[in-house]
Amino acid sequence: MTIEEAFGIVIRRLRRERNLSQDKLSMSSCLDRKFISNIEGGKQQPSLVSIFALASALNTSASSIIYETEFILKINTPDRLRNEGSKIDWISSMEIMMNKINNSYQGSETILIVDDEKQLREMLSDFLASYGYKVITAEDGQDAIEKYTENGPIHLVVLDVVMPRKDGISCFKEIKKVNPKAKAVFMSGYRPDHLQAKEDFHLIQKPFSPVEMIKAIRSALESDSEQTTEL
């Protein structure tokens, strides 16, 4: 049995238990329908970011998916291949990565997530909450300003650059008027050089992995320098 086949068994079981079609799982996870079909058919190896997306959509944890995949693989892999280790390198590296994230990036701070994409807000909220953070969400810049003033203290704002009603840059400028020491991590589909971002401008480019996001968040939270709101 291959890693791809073991992972496909796990995802197929979870989807059927939750009475989800592949189309519904595709919509919930924001992953391509063909990609999910290939995953369940054991034809494609998932990335860490796709595991988190599937876990969120299936209302489970990424760790449990990885561990169940490993269990299925081990009990269905001949001793010779298991001893060689070549078949479980991917699983081992995933476990190491998960443990590294769990041990290094826990926190208890309050984070405001601002994005007009509901699924991304929910995925980030679940992901950060699993590491101990208190999470508040807002659907655009205007909503974020209201949430920031109503809830406090908020230690970090994670917000998209381009949003309806009020964009991320304008939003954070307003937040800085309320709290000059406010910190933010911006998300954008544009490269930093296209935005002409300054060095102290915390910017993460979409699409990003959970590892990249949690690293950017801890870096911003632990930073002592004030952040400019100018691009």
Side-chain angles (χ1 to χ4, degrees):
M1 174 173 286
T2 66
I3 292 169
E4 291 84 355
E5 289 170 340
F7 189 85
I9 290 171
V10 175
I11 297 303
R12 210 161 49 239
R13 178 187 66 77
L14 290 169
R15 178 176 62 78
R16 289 172 178 171
E17 281 182 356
R18 286 150 179 77
N19 196 29
L20 292 174
S21 66
Q22 288 187 346
D23 287 330
K24 288 183 179 179
L25 181 56
S26 172
M27 291 178 62
S28 298
S29 64
C30 295
L31 296 173
D32 183 73
R33 166 69 168 72
K34 185 177 180 180
F35 175 83
I36 289 177
S37 179
N38 287 339
I39 285 287
E40 291 196 2
K43 299 176 182 179
Q44 188 160 347
Q45 192 174 106
S47 64
L48 184 59
V49 66
S50 63
I51 290 176
F52 271 102
L54 288 167
S56 177
L58 292 165
N59 194 29
T60 188
S61 68
S63 295
S64 66
I65 290 177
I66 291 171
Y67 295 150
E68 186 175 350
T69 300
E70 180 184 33
F71 177 78
I72 291 172
L73 186 65
K74 283 183 175 179
I75 64 175
N76 289 282
T77 302
D79 289 339
R80 178 181 59 80
L81 292 177
R82 192 183 306 145
N83 292 335
E84 289 175 2
S86 59
K87 290 291 184 179
I88 61 172
D89 284 346
W90 177 85
I91 290 289
S92 298
S93 65
M94 284 292 185
E95 287 182 331
I96 290 170
M97 182 62 72
M98 290 296 298
N99 289 333
K100 183 177 180 182
I101 297 174
N102 286 328
N103 294 333
S104 303
Y105 300 106
Q106 293 282 347
S108 58
E109 293 93 340
T110 300
I111 299 176
L112 175 60
I113 302 292
V114 191
D115 198 289
D116 56 311
E117 294 184 24
K118 181 181 179 181
Q119 290 175 328
L120 178 59
R121 289 198 309 271
E122 292 178 347
M123 187 177 75
L124 282 176
S125 178
D126 291 344
F127 174 62
L128 294 176
S130 70
Y131 290 102
Y133 296 98
K134 178 182 177 182
V135 183
I136 301 168
T137 61
E139 62 186 20
D140 56 41
Q142 186 60 47
D143 186 30
I145 294 170
E146 295 171 5
K147 293 286 179 62
Y148 192 90
T149 55
E150 293 171 359
N151 302 273
I154 291 175
H155 301 92
L156 181 70
V157 186
V158 178
L159 67 171
D160 196 11
V161 172
V162 179
M163 291 182 291
R165 291 212 295 173
K166 191 179 289 290
D167 64 87
I169 303 301
S170 300
C171 167
F172 192 55
K173 286 180 178 179
E174 293 293 320
I175 287 175
K176 292 280 280 188
K177 292 178 182 178
V178 177
N179 178 16
K181 294 184 178 180
K183 296 179 179 180
V185 171
F186 290 89
M187 303 177 288
S188 176
Y190 297 99
R191 297 200 309 269
D193 56 335
H194 280 189
L195 292 173
Q196 297 181 337
K198 297 183 181 296
E199 291 184 359
D200 61 348
F201 190 84
H202 298 291
L203 179 68
I204 184 168
Q205 186 180 350
K206 293 180 178 180
F208 50 80
S209 72
V211 177
E212 290 172 325
M213 174 55 76
I214 201 71
K215 283 183 176 180
I217 284 173
R218 280 305 335 158
S219 176
L221 284 169
E222 294 170 6
S223 173
D224 293 329
S225 61
E226 287 192 17
Q227 185 178 357
T228 179
T229 56
E230 296 180 0
L231 287 173

